[in-house]
Amino acid sequence: MSDDLLARHRAVLPSWMPIYYPDDPIEIVSGSGRRVVDQHGRSYLDFFGGVLTNMIGYDVPEIREAVERQLATGVVHTSTLYLIRRQVELAEKIARVSGIPDARVFFTNSGSEANEAALLMAANLRRSNQILAIRNSYHGRTLATMGVTGHRSWSASSLNPFSVSWLHSGDRVRGLLASLSDSDHIDAAVEDLREVLATQTAGDVAALIAEPIQGVGGFVHAPDGTLGALKKVLDAHGILLISDEVQTGWGRTGEHFWGYQAHGVTPDLLTFAKGIGNGFALAGVVGRAEVIDAVPAISFSTFGGNPISTAAGNAVLDYVLDHDLQANAARTGAILLDGLRAAQPDYRILAEVRGRGLMIGLEFVHPGTTEPDAASTVRVFDECRRNGLLVGKGGLYNNVLRMGPPLTLTEDEAREGLQILVNAIATADAEAVTL
C-alpha cells in the first residue's frame, strides 16, 4: 500500500481484529450501486455489503439527501432527553412492520447492544438470569451477548452474567440432527428443548434467544416451523422468545420481511441492526410494551437513535418498502441459489448450498467427506476477489463462504456474480486433494 496503511493499522489496532486478504488487504475508497473501488482503482462487485450492512448499496441519493437535510439543521445530536422527530417517525414505522402487537422500540448503536438490551428486558420481566441459546449462534461482542454465543471462535471469555443452557442447531451437514427429515428434525428439537428444561435449568427460564438463520455460524438454519414448535413449549413455561434479526431482517430472505415469519410464530422481542442504517450506526429492539417496559430503572442510549442515524434509517426503510426490495431479494437470490445448486453436483468440495433470498452460504469440505476444508474455502474466497467479486467467510470451522449482497442487486449482477463464483469453485475443486 502506498502509505503503508497496513503497517500503520497493525501498529495501533488490536491484533485480534481480523482483516481480509492479510497479505494484500483492500482499502475501499469509493462505491456506487453494488460496486466498490479499492486503493488501486480496481472495481469489485460487492456480495458482502460491509457484513450485510450496506443493504441498499452505495451512494444512494435518497439516503444521502435525508442525511444532508438533517446536517443542514446543525443538529447532529440532542440525546433522548429531548424529542427527536426522526426517531419517533422511524419507531412508528418499525412498530408497524414488526408484526408484534402493541409494540415499543428502543434504539441502540449496534446489534450487540440491541441483543444486550433484549436480554436485560427479558431477565427483568421474568426475574431470572437463565437463558436458552442455540449452538453455533452469534449474538455480539459484549459480555452478555458473548455469553449466549454458541461459537467458540467468537467467545473471548468464559465469564458470563447469565446461566445458559444450549439447544441443538439446525446444521444439516453434521451433528446429531443432521440426517433427519424436516418433520423429524422439528420433533427432535422439541424433545431436546423439553429435556434441557427438565435437566439443566431451575425452571424459571427468562428467554430463548435465536437467529432464524445463523449469520456468523455460516447461514445455518433449522427447518421452517421449528421456532413455532419450540414456542409452544416456551409458552407453557412462560419463557419469552427473542428473535435476533440483525442479519435476517428487512426482507433479505425474500420469502418474508422477517426471518421469524418462516416459523409461524411471533416473538416477544425482536432485535435489529446492520441494514437499517445502510452504514450509519443504528440498531434496536422492538417488542411488546409489557416486555420493553420491564426495565425498573431509568435508562437510555446516548447515541442510539440520534437525528442523523434515524434520518438515514427512515430513508432506508422507505426505500425498502417503496421499491419492494423483498421481492427483488427473492428474484435475484433465486438466480444465485438455483445456479449454485445446479452446479453443486459437479464439485467434490461443495457440500451444501443454503440460504434464503440474498442470504447465501456455501459450505466446503474435503472431497468424499464431511470434514471442513478451510483451505479450499480460502482458495475460492481469494479467487473471487481476483476476478472482481467480494464475498465473506464464516461458519464454525471457517469453511463457509457467506454472501449478503445489497437488496438492490440486479438480475444481470446476480448472473455476473454467479459466473465468478462457479469459476472460483471449479478452480479450487481441481486443486483439492482427497483425504
Side-chain angles (χ1 to χ4, degrees):
M1 304 174 81
S2 58
D3 63 351
D4 207 3
L5 187 59
L6 177 59
R8 291 166 58 192
H9 176 282
R10 288 174 172 163
V12 295
L13 295 171
S15 60
W16 40 260
M17 277 178 54
I19 188 169
Y20 278 168
Y21 321 108
D23 296 327
D24 184 21
I26 291 174
E27 178 192 2
I28 294 176
V29 298
S30 65
S32 179
R34 276 67 55 195
R35 298 183 191 274
V36 295
V37 177
D38 71 11
Q39 70 273 29
H40 303 300
R42 178 97 191 268
S43 176
Y44 303 89
L45 181 59
D46 186 3
F47 268 23
F48 204 35
V51 194
L52 287 78
T53 300
N54 299 313
M55 186 170 71
I56 313 299
Y58 298 86
D59 194 25
V60 181
E62 290 88 341
I63 300 171
R64 182 179 65 249
E65 290 163 7
V67 171
E68 287 175 347
R69 283 194 299 271
Q70 183 60 43
L71 283 171
T73 69
V75 178
V76 173
H77 174 75
T78 63
S79 96
T80 52
L81 295 173
Y82 304 94
L83 291 171
I84 301 174
R85 183 171 298 276
R86 300 294 169 255
Q87 183 183 87
V88 173
E89 291 171 346
L90 183 57
E92 290 171 337
K93 293 173 186 175
I94 292 174
R96 189 163 57 247
V97 300
S98 71
I100 297 174
D102 193 25
R104 301 291 186 275
V105 182
F106 176 68
F107 289 106
T108 65
N109 302 289
S110 70
S112 295
E113 288 182 66
N115 283 327
E116 186 97 15
L119 291 166
L120 170 70
M121 294 164 185
N124 271 291
L125 182 69
R126 292 281 291 158
R127 307 307 300 164
S128 170
N129 75 332
Q130 296 185 92
I131 297 293
L132 300 169
I134 310 292
R135 299 173 189 180
N136 195 50
S137 60
Y138 175 80
H139 298 290
R141 47 160 287 278
T142 58
L143 188 62
T145 57
M146 192 188 308
V148 297
T149 286
H151 195 299
R152 188 174 63 186
S153 298
W154 293 87
S155 297
S157 172
S158 62
L159 303 177
N160 190 348
F162 290 108
S163 173
V164 183
S165 298
W166 299 96
L167 304 180
H168 287 292
S169 79
D171 193 338
R172 311 310 293 272
V173 175
R174 60 186 66 81
L176 292 177
L177 309 186
S179 61
L180 301 179
S181 67
D182 284 0
S183 60
D184 287 345
H185 184 114
I186 293 172
D187 290 343
V190 169
E191 287 307 306
D192 178 46
L193 171 59
R194 292 186 190 280
E195 183 172 332
V196 166
L197 290 174
T199 62
Q200 298 183 33
T201 76
D204 55 341
V205 175
L208 165 64
I209 184 168
E211 303 161 275
I213 299 177
Q214 295 180 324
V216 170
F219 295 168
V220 166
H221 62 89
D224 288 356
T226 301
L227 289 179
L230 296 179
K231 185 72 160 60
K232 292 177 182 177
V233 179
L234 299 179
D235 287 346
H237 291 80
I239 301 169
L240 305 179
L241 173 63
I242 302 169
S243 185
D244 179 344
E245 303 267 359
V246 169
Q247 296 195 32
T248 52
W250 317 113
R252 175 166 291 282
T253 66
E255 295 176 18
H256 303 95
F257 198 75
W258 302 105
Y260 79 75
Q261 291 168 324
H263 294 271
V265 68
T266 301
D268 300 286
L269 292 166
L270 179 157
T271 58
F272 58 86
K274 291 190 182 292
I276 186 60
N278 204 58
F280 288 88
L282 183 61
V285 188
V286 55
R288 291 189 291 111
E290 174 195 8
V291 186
I292 294 280
D293 290 339
V295 178
I298 294 172
S299 187
F300 79 135
S301 174
T302 299
F303 295 106
N306 69 72
I308 296 295
S309 67
T310 50
N314 274 287
V316 168
L317 185 49
D318 289 347
Y319 195 102
V320 167
L321 298 173
D322 292 346
H323 293 80
D324 196 5
L325 294 191
Q326 179 183 330
N328 190 63
R331 184 168 50 251
T332 54
I335 292 171
L336 288 163
L337 285 164
D338 291 349
L340 289 164
R341 285 171 177 149
Q344 182 181 353
D346 297 332
Y347 303 111
R348 303 166 299 155
I349 61 173
L350 184 54
E352 187 174 38
V353 177
R354 58 180 176 249
R356 295 282 176 82
L358 289 177
M359 193 173 184
I360 299 169
L362 306 179
E363 175 146 350
F364 295 97
V365 296
H366 290 284
T369 76
T370 59
E371 290 297 313
D373 188 351
S376 287
T377 309
V378 171
R379 187 71 179 93
V380 176
F381 179 77
D382 288 339
E383 192 68 11
C384 283
R385 181 236 175 131
R386 190 176 72 82
N387 288 287
L389 180 70
L390 300 183
V391 295
K393 290 186 298 178
L396 184 61
Y397 306 103
N398 209 31
N399 67 319
V400 179
L401 280 192
R402 295 199 297 145
M403 291 171 282
L407 303 190
T408 51
L409 188 73
T410 68
E411 294 183 20
D412 285 345
E413 289 166 339
R415 294 187 183 94
E416 177 187 349
L418 173 63
Q419 190 60 59
I420 294 172
L421 280 163
V422 171
N423 290 342
I425 295 167
T427 298
D429 190 78
E431 298 170 359
V433 177
T434 303
L435 290 180

